[in-house]
């Protein structure tokens, strides 16, 4: 095999392919990047049986072939090469990479043993890349990181007609975002897919540019996977098996009791007051006609409080919330003002959940495409 | 270490330097057997065993006469009787043991409030604060032995040393009916000739590893560089062994012992293979364990299943939950799944047990948006209330209705297993 490629294009392609691979793999061969020549260039791919990444770039192919080379090493090298065309050539079981006056000799791994990447055909629908990327960032933060409960370590995608909703929960909060879905190209029946949150976050970052992302759901021999394709890049991920809990029904249909606050003011006050809190402790939020008061009872040495302007509709309310959980919702709402709605329960041991939604001005509710539901702690004292 | 029959006995006679040796370990001698003999004085000096005469029962306790014939705690009664055919088998009376245990604890409580009860028949004391009032540690130890004998008729052994670990070694060495003081200055002289099995935390496999490297005595461990020990037995164990072998044990006498696990187990009279029956037994044990968790205001994050097969092979399988629970139904579901996964490798089951670990105060931690156990929790709380008013067992899962509690080993094994498992009634 022998080819020549542009340094920046190659470096970007290698870094994309390697990024989704886990830091450590059980099989050394899976840490490799497979490079194979095509009609008008080369394709680079990586696969660890869970996730695959594949991309094509143009290159001047002088001799066709296929090699497997250590991904991380190649990514490191590609990112530091001098500004000159890069040429690859195989020499027995070695790969010689030359760029300007720099030259590297890498060991090639046995291509024959490398698994076949999942083949993706057709497409289920299209999503706008920027919206999808924003939605993933807003929702994935609420996914559980505890592998004891694998189902909720994923983000659930729910497709129906022309809407795609993304849902994640760790059972303390639920985040939901709805975006446009163009299903005219594919099947029309409603479907769901549960994707590991970490993988989806990487996908969101990778495809966060303009244009559309093509989404394909594949069910083949008991293995279900999802593929995302844009700009000659494709990422596939196995789906998490199991039933995602029906969390959407936890959201209240209507709320009469809510407060509207400037989002940035509330974020800053929450960060300040929680400075004195011990880990895992909650802040006390008192909403009444005078506005909102945040109070932190830290340890014996430190306490803090702060008032923030708030427009309260309905009853005065006191809730106890973990600051980080609230901040995750406030940072994702992406609007100048935020509406915090209160719900009631019959259970004296469990306060009603609090709903965070966007608000374009003090008076005007925003779109409800993003909703964040948070379970308050019990009020102490 | 020791054979547990008193033949390696060493005791302190005459004055000894006990300055700084303020940790005491008080251990009742052959406790259950000794209590039984209070009512059967004619059996004194004869070998006696506490356990059930029939079925699969194991020895709960044995007099020193029986121990000299090779009888040990936890040995099947049938085997004990082969070793010592003249032994009398006495039915256990656990309520009596609890009563005497309480009486002994009250005596210890007069010496110092710093009493850590390890099990029904042993306790640690820190007497540093009592020395001025009551005399030196060895004086206090001797007084405890006298008072226990005169007020209960029972004998105990006392170890006096600078650390809990050494005090426990000392009382074991003084058994039966003795006291051994290990002066702080003599700690290493006493410790180093002992076999490595004497160190806490050295089980058969660690022992085998160390033997393979040629280590026999505690002194051998002490003179092995820490780095080397860590490589052989792992980081945590290496550090612990190194400290213990050098006489270092910083653990304090803790008056409130936090339970690390709560469990129940059941030995069957006839081996069980039927999954339906095994599951029913699991339901019963899970219900009991959960009630016990709730009674202590605790919830558990980990549930474990223990199985012992006919060939005495014992396996344990555990599972960590997303959130702590004390709901019997939930515990049952989790251990049932463990059972179904574990059974194929087994065969007939002789013993089954349910244990819960990683205990924390109930309701610690934040409330969840939804709780899979909610309905059952309400139901089981209601059952607790019925039991508190009208007595236990009136409301039980339908699958258990009309089934008398199992007899063999039932009370025997239904104990709260504290962090100090594997105690022996010595």
């Amino acid at each position: 095999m022998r080819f020549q490629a542009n340094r920046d294009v190659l470096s970007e392609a290698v870094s994309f392919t390697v990024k989704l691979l886990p830091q450590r793999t059980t099989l050394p061969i899976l840490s490799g990047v497979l490079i194979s020549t095509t009609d008008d260039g080369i394709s680079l791919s990586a696969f660890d049986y869970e996730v695959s990444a594949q991309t094509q770039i143009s290159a001047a192919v002088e001799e066709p072939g296929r090699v497997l080379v250590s991904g991380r090493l190649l990514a490191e090298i590609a990112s530091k090469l001098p500004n000159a065309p890069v040429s690859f050539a195989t020499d027995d079981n070695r790969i010689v990479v030359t760029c300007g006056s720099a030259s590297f000799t890498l060991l090639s791994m046995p291509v024959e043993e490398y698994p076949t990447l999942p083949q993706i055909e057709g497409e289920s629908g299209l999503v706008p890349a920027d919206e999808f990327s924003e939605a993933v960032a807003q929702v994935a933060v609420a996914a559980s990181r505890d592998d004891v409960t694998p189902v909720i370590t994923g983000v659930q995608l729910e497709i129906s007609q022309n809407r795609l909703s993304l849902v994640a929960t760790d059972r303390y909060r639920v985040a939901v975002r709805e975006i446009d879905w163009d299903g005219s190209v594919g099947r029309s029946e409603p479907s769901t897919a549960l994707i590991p949150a970490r993988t989806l976050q990487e996908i969101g970052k990778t495809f966060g540019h303009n244009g559309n992302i093509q989404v394909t759901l594949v069910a083949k021999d008991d293995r279900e996977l999802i593929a995302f394709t844009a700009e000659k890049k494709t990422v596939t991920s196995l789906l998490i098996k199991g039933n995602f809990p029906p969390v959407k029904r936890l959201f209240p249909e209507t709320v009469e009791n809510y407060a509207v606050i400037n989002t940035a003011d509330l974020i800053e006050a929450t960060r300040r007051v929680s400075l004195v809190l011990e880990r895992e402790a909650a802040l006390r939020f008192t909403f009444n006609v005078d506005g909102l008061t945040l109070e932190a009872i830290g340890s014996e040495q430190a306490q803090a409080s702060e008032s923030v302007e708030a427009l309260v509709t309905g009853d005065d309310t006191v809730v106890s919330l973990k600051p980080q959980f609230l901040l995750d919702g406030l940072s994702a709402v992406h609007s100048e003002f935020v509406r915090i709605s209160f719900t009631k329960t019959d259970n004296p041991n469990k306060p009603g959940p609090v709903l965070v939604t966007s608000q374009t001005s003090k008076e005007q509710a925003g779109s409800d495409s993003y909703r964040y539901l948070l379970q308050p702690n019990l009020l102490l004292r | 270490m020791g054979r547990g029959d008193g033949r390696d006995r060493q005791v302190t006679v005459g004055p000894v330097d006990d300055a700084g040796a303020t940790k005491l370990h008080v251990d009742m001698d052959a406790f259950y057997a000794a209590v039984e003999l209070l009512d059967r004085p004619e059996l004194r000096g004869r070998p006696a065993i506490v356990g059930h005469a029939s079925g699969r029962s194991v020895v709960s306790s044995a007099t020193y006469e029986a121990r000299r014939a090779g009888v040990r705690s936890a040995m099947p009664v049938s085997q004990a009787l082969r070793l010592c055919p003249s032994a009398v088998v006495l039915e256990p009376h656990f309520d009596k043991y609890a009563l005497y245990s309480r009486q002994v604890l009250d005596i210890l409580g007069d010496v110092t409030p710093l009493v850590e009860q390890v099990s029904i028949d042993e306790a640690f004391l820190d007497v540093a604060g009592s020395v001025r009032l009551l005399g030196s540690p060895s004086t206090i130890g001797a007084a405890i032995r006298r008072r226990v004998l005169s007020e209960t008729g029972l004998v105990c052994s006392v170890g006096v040393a600078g650390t809990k670990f050494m005090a426990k070694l000392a009382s074991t060495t003084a058994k039966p009916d003795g006291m051994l003081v290990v002066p702080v200055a003599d700690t290493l002289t006493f410790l180093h000739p002992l076999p490595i099995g004497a160190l806490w935390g050295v089980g058969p496999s660690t022992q085998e590893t160390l033997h393979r490297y040629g280590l026999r005595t505690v002194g051998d461990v002490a003179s092995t560089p820490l780095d080397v020990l860590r490589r052989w037995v792992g980081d945590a164990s290496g550090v612990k062994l190194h400290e213990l072998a050098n006489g270092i044990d910083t653990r304090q006498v803790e008056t409130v012992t936090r339970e690390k696990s709560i469990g129940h187990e059941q030995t069957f009279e006839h081996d069980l293979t039927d999954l339906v029956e095994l599951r029913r037994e699991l339901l019963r044990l899970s219900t009991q364990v959960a009630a016990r968790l709730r009674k202590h205001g605790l919830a558990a994050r980990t549930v474990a299943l223990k199985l012992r097969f006919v060939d005495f092979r014992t396996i344990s399988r555990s599972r960590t939950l997303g959130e702590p629970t004390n709901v019997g139904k939930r515990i049952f579901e989790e251990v049932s799944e463990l059972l179904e996964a574990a059974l194929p490798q087994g065969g007939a089951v002789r013993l089954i047990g349910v244990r819960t670990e990683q205990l924390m105060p109930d309701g610690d931690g934040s409330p969840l948006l939804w709780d899979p156990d909610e309905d059952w929790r309400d139901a089981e709380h209601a059952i607790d209330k019925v039991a508190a008013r009208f007595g236990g067992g009136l409301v039980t899962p339908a699958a258990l209705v009309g089934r008398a509690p199992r007899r063999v080993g039932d009370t025997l094994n239904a104990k709260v297993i504290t962090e100090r498992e594997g105690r022996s009634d010595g």
Side-chain angles (χ1 to χ4, degrees):
Chain A
M1 186 182 79
R2 186 184 294 274
F3 69 85
Q4 210 171 61
N6 175 287
R7 181 197 67 161
D8 294 340
V9 173
L10 179 76
S11 172
E12 204 266 336
V14 175
S15 116
F16 158 75
T17 2
V18 171
K19 203 158 46 183
L20 277 154
L21 287 181
Q23 295 290 330
R24 267 181 230 110
T25 56
T26 42
L27 283 170
I29 197 171
L30 299 182
S31 66
V33 166
L34 181 71
I35 303 177
S36 47
T37 55
T38 62
D39 294 343
D40 54 353
I42 55 166
S43 90
L44 297 96
S45 35
F47 183 38
D48 71 350
Y49 290 104
E50 299 269 326
V51 178
S52 82
Q54 185 165 30
T55 185
Q56 265 113 44
I57 59 171
S58 57
V61 178
E62 289 155 29
E63 187 191 317
R66 248 154 60 96
V67 289
L68 185 63
V69 57
S70 160
R72 307 235 164 248
L73 190 57
L74 185 61
E76 289 264 322
I77 291 171
S79 69
K80 292 198 169 57
L81 287 174
N83 193 4
V86 188
S87 69
F88 267 66
T90 45
D91 174 16
D92 284 339
N93 60 345
R94 290 178 192 284
I95 303 156
V96 181
V97 182
T98 11
C99 177
S101 57
S103 166
F104 297 83
T105 308
L106 309 174
L107 199 65
S108 86
M109 302 198 274
V111 174
E112 317 75 56
E113 288 166 32
Y114 198 71
T116 313
L117 267 76
Q119 296 306 303
I120 305 304
E121 277 157 30
E123 70 177 77
S124 309
L126 292 170
V127 286
D130 49 355
E131 254 190 79
F132 181 73
S133 174
E134 182 192 34
V136 170
Q138 284 173 308
V139 167
V141 68
S144 170
R145 287 171 190 83
D146 189 348
D147 292 328
V148 168
T149 46
V151 168
I152 55 172
T153 59
V155 172
Q156 167 95 336
L157 305 194
E158 297 174 6
I159 299 158
S160 71
Q161 292 178 336
N162 56 354
R163 298 296 277 171
L164 165 68
S165 76
L166 296 88
V167 193
T169 183
D170 60 6
R171 300 199 296 173
Y172 299 102
R173 59 254 175 89
V174 179
V176 178
R177 168 74 201 265
E178 296 202 340
I179 62 172
D180 288 335
W181 168 263
D182 176 359
S184 56
V185 286
R187 298 167 303 181
S188 56
E189 71 269 30
S191 48
T192 61
L194 187 54
I195 306 159
R198 255 169 285 175
T199 307
L200 195 64
Q201 274 170 313
E202 280 299 331
I203 293 169
K205 284 182 209 156
T206 304
F207 291 125
H209 311 294
N210 294 330
N212 286 324
I213 303 172
Q214 184 186 318
V215 182
T216 311
L217 284 166
V218 184
K220 207 176 186 179
D221 330 323
D222 191 38
R223 282 163 83 80
E224 284 186 279
L225 58 88
I226 190 165
F228 298 87
T229 306
E231 299 161 2
K232 290 197 171 175
K233 290 180 182 145
T234 297
V235 174
T236 70
S237 169
L238 278 189
L239 299 184
I240 300 175
K241 286 195 174 134
N243 294 324
F244 196 75
V247 288
K248 278 188 168 173
R249 65 172 186 203
L250 296 169
F251 285 87
E253 301 217 334
T254 55
V255 282
E256 277 113 43
N257 190 190
Y258 59 88
V260 175
I261 310 151
N262 180 288
T263 313
D265 289 353
L266 182 54
I267 289 178
E268 281 176 30
T270 305
R271 286 204 178 121
R272 259 193 301 276
V273 175
S274 59
L275 285 174
V276 303
L277 282 182
E278 283 175 9
R279 227 170 65 87
E280 298 290 297
L283 275 184
R284 186 184 176 91
F285 295 78
T286 306
F287 297 87
N288 58 30
V289 67
D290 299 323
L292 162 64
T293 309
L294 292 73
E295 289 167 278
I297 317 287
S299 55
E300 283 179 3
Q301 300 105 32
Q303 302 186 355
S305 71
E306 181 165 346
S307 294
V308 179
E309 199 184 314
L311 216 67
V312 179
T313 304
D315 301 338
D316 295 354
T317 305
V318 186
V319 287
S320 168
L321 303 171
K322 280 199 180 168
Q324 191 52 53
F325 286 178
L326 179 65
L327 287 170
D328 286 342
L330 295 177
S331 312
V333 73
H334 298 173
S335 62
E336 190 183 352
F337 289 85
V338 61
R339 177 190 292 229
I340 297 184
S341 311
F342 310 105
T343 60
K344 290 191 168 48
T345 57
D346 304 328
N347 186 342
N349 294 320
K350 200 170 132 183
V354 158
L355 177 64
V356 175
T357 48
S358 73
Q359 183 92 9
T360 46
S361 72
K362 273 186 195 172
E363 294 79 26
Q364 184 60 51
S367 89
D368 62 354
S369 68
Y370 177 71
R371 292 175 298 158
Y372 184 84
L373 192 73
L374 173 57
Q375 174 63 49
N377 281 10
L378 278 175
L379 281 174
L380 304 171
R381 69 176 168 126
Chain B
M1 55 168 295
R3 288 187 296 262
D5 58 11
R7 273 185 285 187
D8 306 320
R9 185 168 178 264
Q10 285 176 49
V11 296
T12 298
V13 276
V16 62
D17 174 22
D18 58 1
T22 58
K23 305 281 195 298
L24 267 58
H25 183 249
V26 177
D27 201 350
M28 306 302 295
D29 295 334
F31 181 52
Y32 298 168
V35 172
E36 294 301 333
L37 290 196
L38 291 176
D39 291 341
R40 305 279 301 273
E42 75 278 9
L43 295 178
R44 273 174 201 278
R46 288 188 50 192
I49 291 167
V50 176
H52 297 291
S54 66
R56 284 278 177 72
S57 174
V58 293
V59 174
S60 314
S61 175
T63 61
Y64 279 83
E65 289 78 10
R67 288 177 199 220
R68 262 175 237 128
V71 176
R72 296 287 178 270
S73 285
M75 175 184 279
V77 169
S78 50
Q79 190 189 345
L81 287 173
R82 274 197 301 277
L83 289 165
C84 186
S86 62
V88 182
V89 180
L90 302 166
E91 283 284 313
H93 299 89
F94 291 94
D95 44 344
K96 269 204 286 190
Y97 310 149
L99 214 68
Y100 279 101
S101 173
R102 188 68 249 164
Q103 232 178 317
V104 173
L105 270 184
D106 286 346
I107 296 173
L108 302 181
D110 288 345
V111 173
T112 170
L114 291 178
V115 178
E116 175 182 340
Q117 185 179 10
V118 182
S119 66
I120 196 163
D121 61 356
E122 55 176 320
F124 285 105
L125 282 72
D126 188 336
V127 298
S130 316
V131 170
R132 192 170 292 177
L133 206 63
L134 300 175
S136 73
S138 53
T139 314
I140 295 174
I144 288 173
R145 287 183 9 91
R146 272 197 306 277
R147 255 193 86 186
V148 169
L149 180 62
S150 72
E151 291 181 24
T152 65
L154 298 168
V155 287
C156 63
S157 296
V158 174
V160 180
T163 64
K164 283 166 78 171
F165 170 55
M166 293 303 301
K168 164 113 183 162
L169 279 183
S171 72
T172 309
T173 313
K175 275 180 172 304
D177 195 14
M179 177 172 79
L180 178 64
V181 180
V182 180
V184 175
D186 296 349
T187 299
L188 297 184
T189 332
F190 177 79
L191 188 58
H192 283 176
L194 297 176
I196 45 180
L199 293 173
W200 272 352
V202 175
S205 82
T206 311
Q207 200 164 336
E208 201 194 307
T209 307
L210 296 176
H211 279 172
R212 230 179 20 243
Y213 289 109
L215 273 53
R216 299 274 154 193
T217 66
V218 176
D220 292 342
V221 177
S223 57
T224 305
L226 177 57
D227 287 351
V228 177
L229 273 182
R230 280 156 71 153
R231 212 160 44 238
W232 289 346
V233 300
D235 271 356
S237 310
V239 171
K240 213 172 111 192
L241 287 188
H242 190 258
E243 287 187 345
L244 285 179
N246 284 290
I248 301 166
D249 173 22
T250 52
R251 287 165 313 145
Q252 296 300 309
V253 171
E254 285 167 17
T255 45
V256 184
T257 61
R258 284 239 329 252
E259 275 149 21
K260 287 258 174 97
S261 74
I262 286 182
H264 286 258
E265 50 190 52
Q266 171 68 51
T267 306
F268 301 119
E269 192 133 16
H270 305 288
D271 305 317
L272 283 189
T273 44
D274 182 20
L275 187 63
V276 176
E277 275 190 67
L278 285 168
R279 277 171 51 94
R280 188 180 297 128
E281 204 53 49
L282 279 184
L283 177 59
R284 195 174 68 82
L285 294 169
S286 302
T287 308
Q288 287 174 353
V289 167
R292 193 142 202 174
L293 283 168
R294 293 194 297 272
K295 195 173 155 200
H296 287 75
L298 296 171
R301 180 94 200 267
T302 300
V303 298
L305 168 76
K306 178 176 167 186
L307 286 177
R308 179 169 296 150
F309 299 107
V310 265
D311 55 2
F312 269 85
R313 208 160 37 85
T314 306
I315 62 166
S316 186
R317 296 284 179 271
S318 70
R319 173 180 286 185
T320 300
L321 312 178
E323 67 292 316
T325 190
N326 54 22
V327 174
K329 168 83 172 165
R330 175 73 188 281
I331 296 172
F332 167 66
E333 283 166 0
E334 302 288 345
V335 289
S336 294
E337 284 177 27
L338 293 172
L339 175 70
E340 272 156 44
L343 210 53
Q345 349 160 353
V349 176
R350 181 190 163 88
L351 173 149
I352 195 165
V354 173
R355 196 173 67 248
T356 55
E357 295 162 357
Q358 279 194 286
L359 307 184
M360 52 199 74
D362 191 14
D364 219 18
S366 310
L368 301 170
L369 278 167
W370 77 95
D371 175 359
D373 298 339
E374 198 160 299
D375 295 344
W376 282 103
R377 174 172 299 114
D378 292 348
E380 293 186 15
H381 276 297
I383 294 171
D384 288 346
K385 279 184 193 152
V386 172
R389 249 184 101 179
F390 305 106
L394 288 175
V395 184
T396 68
L400 303 179
V401 168
R403 287 177 184 269
R406 302 232 167 229
R407 257 193 47 76
V408 175
D410 196 33
T411 9
L412 192 66
N413 293 312
K415 69 180 179 207
V416 174
I417 303 162
T418 65
E419 77 185 272
R420 296 157 196 90
E421 271 200 51
R423 74 185 169 76
S424 71
D425 165 41

